[in-house]
Amino acid sequence: MWAKRLKSFPALQNKNYRIYIFGQFISVIGTWLQIVAQGWLVLQLSNSAFLIGLVAALATAPSLLFSLFGGVIVDRFPKKKVLFFTQSSSMVLALTLGILTLLNLATIPLICIMAFLMGTVNAVDAPARQAFVSELVNKEQLPSAIALNSGIFNAGRVVGPGLAGLLIALVGTGGAFISNGISYIAVIIALFFLNLPTSAPSLNTNPLQAIKNGVQYSFSHPAIRPLLLFTGMTSIFGW
């Protein structure tokens, strides 16, 4: 059975990818713990639908504002080191919010600040994770790696909220935040055990020019342009 799975998903033949995807799956589940617990905590503190939406907006706005700059950062530094930094930062933020919540020190302004900071870290982490896959597998394995990445994201989106509800009932929102912080350890350990050749980062010295070139290329490419438009419509009106 295992041999058939390896044949169906060539990326699983790659030891580095197997290590990485396991850690990533744990982390994705933890991220959904954070999202659900964060909304529930805001509801408990304020009973305001507007504030729930505001915190959610502050968590996602950095992706809109800073992701292009995040992509430039990922091009300039080794992706493995970038992921070490972003995953460690997210872990510290999640644990901090969890401890403050357990001590009954969490307030709406504090939650807003923490949500924005985690979103800012994610603006660098997301492009790093997506680009990192191409360094883990070869060209023939890449399509299956992309498919598996999508699969674990959606599996985490199914498992995470249900697990969040269970944890909130058992240990409260603070415990759910702590659990998310602990989940990042899985990715950090996975990154530590990855054996990868050192890749030379981009030496482009003008970040704004790099962003401009990337945007122009993307919207002039006949395949990439419609994909960006469809993704944008789904993100705005679906999410």
Side-chain angles (χ1 to χ4, degrees):
M1 182 180 293
W2 180 246
K4 290 182 178 180
R5 291 178 182 177
L6 289 178
K7 187 175 180 180
S8 300
F9 296 98
L12 293 177
Q13 299 174 11
N14 188 303
K15 181 181 178 181
N16 283 330
Y17 185 76
R18 291 199 304 271
I19 295 172
Y20 175 73
I21 197 173
F22 175 76
Q24 189 66 20
F25 180 59
I26 301 299
S27 179
V28 169
I29 292 176
T31 298
W32 282 99
L33 295 181
Q34 181 84 17
I35 292 172
V36 174
Q38 184 174 269
W40 185 255
L41 179 60
V42 174
L43 180 64
Q44 287 181 314
L45 293 176
S46 68
N47 197 32
S48 169
F50 170 77
L51 288 177
I52 294 174
L54 176 62
V55 171
L58 288 171
T60 54
S63 294
L64 175 64
L65 299 174
F66 306 133
S67 284
L68 291 175
F69 294 95
V72 173
I73 292 172
V74 173
D75 278 340
R76 288 168 178 265
F77 298 96
K79 297 175 183 61
K80 183 177 176 179
K81 291 184 178 179
V82 172
L83 286 171
F84 264 124
F85 172 78
T86 57
Q87 295 292 307
S88 299
S89 299
S90 295
M91 178 179 68
V92 171
L93 290 170
L95 291 175
T96 300
L97 182 57
I99 293 171
L100 292 174
T101 302
L102 291 174
L103 296 175
N104 294 319
L105 297 176
T107 62
I108 297 299
L110 176 64
I111 297 170
C112 289
I113 292 171
M114 297 297 286
F116 186 81
L117 289 176
M118 293 194 75
T120 301
V121 173
N122 189 61
V124 179
D125 182 74
R129 281 188 284 110
Q130 294 176 19
F132 189 52
V133 174
S134 64
E135 294 187 0
L136 293 174
V137 299
N138 58 40
K139 187 175 181 181
E140 290 72 26
Q141 296 170 339
L142 186 58
S144 68
I146 294 173
L148 286 167
N149 274 14
S150 178
I152 65 166
F153 175 80
N154 288 294
R157 187 164 58 178
V158 172
V159 175
L163 184 58
L166 180 62
L167 286 173
I168 290 170
L170 294 175
V171 296
T173 52
F177 293 140
I178 296 293
S179 298
N180 175 41
I182 294 173
S183 73
Y184 287 105
I185 297 176
V187 180
I188 293 171
I189 293 175
L191 289 171
F192 180 79
F193 282 103
L194 294 181
N195 184 19
L196 299 172
T198 303
S199 58
S202 171
L203 298 179
N204 190 336
T205 57
N206 191 331
L208 293 179
Q209 185 62 41
I211 292 173
K212 180 181 177 181
N213 292 341
V215 171
Q216 288 178 340
Y217 175 80
S218 298
F219 281 94
S220 64
H221 195 285
I224 297 177
R225 181 175 63 248
L227 288 175
L228 288 174
L229 294 175
F230 282 130
T231 303
M233 292 289 287
T234 302
S235 299
I236 293 170
F237 297 106
W239 282 91

